[in-house]
Amino acid sequence: MSGKKEKREKRLQEISLLRTIPYSDHQRWWSEETIAVVTGANRGIGFEIARQLAGHGLTVVLTSRDTGVGIEAARVLKEGGFNVDVHQLDILDAESVSEFAKWIKEKYGGLDILINNAGVNYNLGSGNSAEFAKQVIETNYYGTKNMIKTMIPLMRPSAAGARIVNVSSRLGKLNGRRSRIEDEALREKLSNLETLSEELIDNMVSKFLQQVEDNTWQSGGWPQKFTDYAVSKLAVNLYSVLMANQLAERPEGGKIYINCYCPGWVRTAMTGWSGNISAEHAADTGVWLALLPNKEVTGKLFAERRELKL
Ligand code: NDP
């Protein structure tokens, strides 16, 4: 086993051990009254996050763009004795998002935790293309952003603060060694809270999509690996930093914490089941972030329960 692989295996074992330690009463800020919404929860990592959150005693709203598939997934969890509700939600369909918002407000008075898990990727193995760039950017960035914007007003005030967790990727690191945008001046602007803005992020993805349309993206200085996916997750990571900064202004009791994490290379449909870790392990950091007793953590990117430099 290579040194890097060995280190990762060791970390995964450590996490398995950490997961056997129950949260103490003073750490458990949640109860079955706590409402956690998971997008794209009918399968893969989303389903696992829903299962683990429900296992911690929260009420989980499993959402799925296909109603029947969602009901079936929720049935499996309900049969396990978990508190699980289910609702249709396609994060790309404005009507579906607004219908969901109305439903969650009426039924639960809002939500406490939002897990933005729904996402797409069309690159497999070492393949790289931007053939599906529009769909990838629309879903992973704009869909996630729209969910955040729509759900924030519905997040219930509490002493522990509401939480948003975005299932993202380390491929979307601003200063990643192998996968980053080459334009240094843009990187500088994006890494500085004084210059980072929603407009700057939107302009970056628009420029990328324009170059895809013009077929000039290959020489555009975009990430070399899984390009469209990496750009979409970079946008999510940056938008989370921006939002964390804005949400920090909220008064105590109305705080919302927002973080991103990379689940690793996971054995799900997205990787054609070629990943090297299970969905169960992959869900762990997301669940840990959602339940974190330490409220001060916000605007960060994590992997395997450790902060990564964006
Ligand atoms: P899967 O393909 O197994 O699951 C993706 C989920 O997202 C499905 O439930 C899918 O629904 C849903 N989804 C896609 N588009 C929409 C939409 N418009 N509205 C609502 N739901 C939608 O992938 P994973 O479980 O592996 O991926 C989950 C998340 O983890 C994604 O955000 C992904 O980018 C991220 N991730 C995954 C990695 C991996 O190695 N697998 C690595 C890094 C990040 P449906 O069943 O209807 O298609």
Side-chain angles (χ1 to χ4, degrees), residues 15-271:
I15 290 173
S16 291
L17 244 164
L18 287 171
R19 287 180 63 197
T20 63
I21 305 170
Y23 287 91
S24 57
D25 284 348
H26 79 276
Q27 290 176 312
R28 286 174 70 96
W29 56 267
W30 63 93
S31 70
E32 63 177 6
E33 308 294 319
T34 308
I35 307 299
V37 170
V38 187
T39 67
N42 52 292
R43 62 179 159 107
I45 300 167
F47 178 78
E48 257 307 310
I49 292 177
R51 192 180 71 81
Q52 291 181 28
L53 284 174
H56 282 291
L58 292 88
T59 295
V60 172
V61 179
L62 182 154
T63 70
S64 164
R65 60 179 162 178
D66 183 304
T67 306
V69 172
I71 290 173
E72 184 52 28
R75 187 185 60 78
V76 173
L77 295 181
K78 281 184 202 159
E79 280 177 7
F82 294 132
N83 261 334
V84 174
D85 205 342
V86 59
H87 201 276
Q88 194 277 342
L89 176 63
D90 181 337
I91 64 165
L92 283 183
D93 178 348
E95 213 173 291
S96 167
V97 173
S98 120
E99 167 58 32
F100 176 73
K102 196 164 159 259
W103 174 84
I104 197 104
K105 175 82 183 150
E106 274 171 19
K107 184 155 184 187
Y108 295 105
L111 71 163
D112 305 292
I113 295 173
L114 169 65
I115 312 278
N116 284 308
N117 164 79
V120 291
N121 161 51
Y122 294 92
N123 289 301
L124 276 183
S126 57
N128 189 27
S129 95
E131 194 184 342
F132 299 98
K134 195 156 186 293
Q135 202 174 337
V136 170
I137 299 281
E138 285 287 341
T139 307
N140 297 0
Y141 173 51
Y142 287 110
T144 299
K145 179 163 87 153
N146 191 26
M147 276 304 290
I148 293 171
K149 286 191 176 189
T150 312
M151 291 299 121
I152 280 179
L154 302 177
M155 298 199 92
R156 306 190 299 189
S158 72
R163 284 107 198 273
I164 301 173
V165 177
N166 300 317
V167 187
S168 189
S169 171
R170 71 183 88 211
L171 286 173
K173 273 172 58 158
L174 194 50
N175 288 301
R177 239 180 334 133
R178 276 178 300 170
S179 184
R180 65 174 178 193
I181 45 174
E182 278 171 22
D183 183 342
E184 242 179 85
L186 177 59
R187 273 211 321 271
E188 180 55 37
K189 274 196 203 161
L190 292 167
S191 62
N192 185 343
L193 266 173
E194 299 287 314
T195 43
L196 178 65
S197 67
E198 189 173 341
E199 199 187 359
L200 189 67
I201 306 170
D202 286 3
N203 285 346
M204 174 187 75
V205 300
S206 299
K207 185 173 167 194
F208 171 64
L209 289 176
Q210 187 59 53
Q211 290 188 7
V212 171
E213 214 174 301
D214 301 342
N215 204 20
T216 55
W217 66 275
Q218 305 222 25
S219 55
W222 301 103
Q224 301 296 301
K225 220 171 142 189
F226 284 30
T227 301
D228 51 6
Y229 185 76
V231 172
S232 75
K233 295 295 191 183
L234 171 63
V236 169
N237 293 340
L238 291 169
Y239 183 68
S240 304
V241 171
L242 187 69
M243 284 314 291
N245 197 43
Q246 286 176 16
L247 293 167
E249 307 282 313
R250 291 167 73 104
E252 206 51 54
K255 295 269 191 215
I256 301 176
Y257 305 103
I258 176 167
N259 289 291
C260 295
Y261 89 101
C262 175
W265 186 242
V266 193
R267 282 189 297 279
T268 61
M270 183 171 281
T271 60

